Amino acid sequence: MKKTLLAEFTAREGAEDEVTRLILEYAEKVREEEGNLAFDVYTKEASPRAYWIFEVYRDEDAFQAHLKAPYGGPFNTALAPLIEEDASVLTFLDPVA
């Protein structure tokens, strides 16, 4: 079964350009993962500092491999001081059959 989630965070005022640069660099790496099916980065139209990342992985094993990727920790460390939340807020999604 696919593993699907929405990651959300809000860039601090003035940090939007750096957050965008970081997330786009990270997205390139994640999209190369064997088990990644989607890693789409959005901002809210009404609130451009609010980022939404829609992620889909082949299955739970692919998601776990993603979490263990060597570039994830450095990305999160660089992102943390640039966002309002303590970390990305994750919402796991189930398909409606």
Side-chain angles (χ1 to χ4, degrees):
M1 182 172 169
K2 291 179 187 173
K3 187 76 166 187
T4 305
L5 64 134
L6 180 66
E8 302 175 63
F9 55 82
T10 307
R12 292 186 186 276
E13 189 77 39
E16 300 94 317
D17 290 346
E18 181 65 8
V19 168
T20 296
R21 185 189 68 75
L22 284 171
I23 192 65
L24 292 178
E25 283 181 4
Y26 183 63
E28 285 182 29
K29 294 174 183 172
V30 174
R31 290 174 184 143
E32 292 176 358
E33 294 174 9
E34 181 181 332
N36 179 262
L37 303 177
F39 193 92
D40 299 328
V41 180
Y42 300 91
T43 57
K44 287 173 125 178
E45 187 173 322
S47 180
R49 290 189 303 117
Y51 289 74
W52 286 15
I53 297 90
F54 179 73
E55 304 178 45
V56 183
Y57 299 88
R58 182 185 59 237
D59 54 23
E60 180 66 30
D61 288 342
F63 178 64
Q64 291 303 317
H66 163 71
L67 293 178
K68 294 174 186 166
Y71 40 83
F75 165 76
N76 286 317
T77 298
L79 183 68
L82 302 173
I83 63 174
E84 293 181 355
E85 300 80 5
D86 291 334
S88 295
V89 177
L90 304 181
T91 302
F92 292 91
L93 305 169
D94 289 326
V96 176

